[in-house]
Structures are given as structure tokens and as C-alpha cells.
Amino acid sequence: TYFEHAVLKRGKELLIADYRAQYVLADGTIPARNTTSLLVSADNGHTFRRRATIAADRANRDIMAEPHLAATAGGDLVCIIRRTDQNQKPMWITWSTDDGHTWEAGHSLFDFGVFPCLQLLGNGCLVLSYGRPGVHLAVSTAGDGRQWDAHQQILPGDPAAVHLHTCGYTSMLPLNDDTLLLAYSDFDYPHPTDATCKAILTRRIRVKR
């Protein structure tokens, strides 16, 4: 298991969405590109077992990589996934209502996105950060990811040069029920010498319902 995000504690289990390991699919086919699977530990992380395929592109066009798994405000599971390598393509979102044993077919989300990061706040809002180009936040006030009510651009981006201003990778840490800390890179940060440099920044974000 490759831990790109923190594991999700759910009852007595630890859950993580993984795309580094490849598995034969339920119909016996061997995927040519990355698939996303749900791995579950019942022994506090000492061992993990694969529970289900979260997403796979049977046409072998999409990589289904860099997934992030979160609980919804209603107690279900939601997973958002990057679909492409260096091209611009929407992310993928899917849900499970039975602790990850089965997953919806899912659908495309927004116009682009790499390394999606999800955080469910204590006030019930589900927050998504993503990037490239730029850095962006989206909020699902219902807390389920079915509808995204608010969008905010944190850093601008250029679709013709997606690596120009930031790597677009983000991370979030909740501080209280309605506030989180967002971490991201800024390749145009002003330096005291009047030059610009690459920097890792954090910003407090308050999310209201």
C-alpha cells in the first residue's frame, strides 16, 4: 500500500483507496492501466485486504490514479480520482453506500484536476481541493459531493502551461468544525531580493454552510 493520503478510520476498520497495486478484475480481465481499489485493515494497519474495485476504465483510456477517499455527512463513502497523466481531463467521482463493498458507476467531475484532496468538516461540509492548472477549492454544503455549491480559485493557472504557477498538489487539515488549513505550492512567491521563488504555503480557510 502506498499512502499518499491519510487512512480513513471507519468503525474498527482503516480504509484507503490505492492505485499502485494492480488486480485482476471480477470478470477475469487484466487492466492495462491503473485502477483504484479499496483496501481495508481490521488490525490497526498491520495488514490490508482488498475489498473492491472502486473504479476502472475498461476501455483502457484513463489511469484512475491519485484517489482520495472520504466519508460523507450522511455516512456513505465518496472517492474522487485523477483520470489522466499530462493531459487535461475531468476527475472522476463515485460513491458507496455499503462500506465500500460496491461502488456506483460514477461520473466526470469538473473540467480538470490532479491529486484531489477531500475533507469532511465538523459542520457537515465536504471540501475538495485540486489543481493543475492553478489551485482550486470546491464545497459541497450537503456534505455528500453530489452537488458542489461554491468554488474558489486560490492560485491562477494557465491551461496552455499547467506547470507554470504551481504543481497543483494540495493537502488539507481540519482545525475545527468550520476551518481548515490548506497547503499548496506557489512558484511565483515574492522573495525579499525582488526575485521570485518556489514556496510551500498554508492558508486558513473558513467554510460556512
Side-chain angles (χ1 to χ4, degrees):
T1 304
Y2 194 94
F3 294 96
E4 290 185 344
H5 294 289
V7 296
L8 174 65
K9 190 177 188 307
R10 190 171 176 87
K12 296 182 179 180
E13 295 181 327
L14 300 178
L15 280 61
I16 193 166
D18 178 70
Y19 70 100
R20 300 284 181 168
Q22 294 292 82
Y23 303 90
V24 176
L25 300 179
D27 60 3
T29 58
I30 300 174
R33 309 198 74 180
N34 297 87
T35 59
T36 291
S37 297
L38 177 65
L39 302 185
V40 180
S41 173
D43 57 7
N44 203 32
H46 289 278
T47 59
F48 281 82
R49 292 183 178 273
R50 179 175 177 268
R51 173 165 291 172
T53 298
I54 297 177
D57 178 19
R58 298 181 183 276
N60 293 321
R61 293 186 298 259
D62 296 338
I63 60 175
M64 295 299 182
E66 297 179 351
H68 198 187
L69 182 71
T72 69
D76 295 332
L77 293 173
V78 58
C79 189
I80 298 182
I81 303 166
R82 174 181 176 175
R83 294 173 57 201
T84 186
D85 190 6
Q86 299 301 326
N87 299 319
Q88 295 292 290
K89 186 176 284 190
M91 295 175 288
W92 194 258
I93 185 168
T94 181
W95 296 265
S96 172
T97 60
D98 58 4
D99 291 319
H101 289 275
T102 60
W103 291 83
E104 296 182 17
H107 60 77
S108 295
L109 179 67
F110 305 151
D111 295 328
F112 60 88
V114 303
F115 204 72
C117 184
L118 284 166
Q119 185 62 59
L120 179 65
L121 293 176
N123 64 5
C125 292
L126 182 67
V127 185
L128 166 65
S129 60
Y130 63 100
R132 199 182 302 167
V135 173
H136 307 267
L137 280 181
V139 179
S140 171
T141 54
D144 56 9
R146 303 276 180 180
Q147 179 176 336
W148 299 90
D149 312 285
H151 293 78
Q152 181 176 349
Q153 178 179 270
I154 304 299
L155 278 182
D158 183 353
V162 295
H163 296 89
L164 188 62
H165 302 293
T166 173
C167 70
Y169 278 33
T170 62
S171 184
M172 291 187 290
L173 179 70
L175 300 178
N176 54 46
D177 284 351
D178 63 0
T179 308
L180 56 83
L181 195 67
L182 172 70
Y184 58 97
S185 66
D186 183 350
F187 293 170
D188 302 309
Y189 189 74
H191 191 270
T193 61
D194 293 330
T196 57
C197 61
K198 293 183 178 181
I200 301 297
L201 306 178
T202 59
R203 180 181 297 190
R204 288 175 178 262
I205 306 289
R206 187 178 181 188
V207 179
K208 295 183 178 180
R209 297 202 68 165

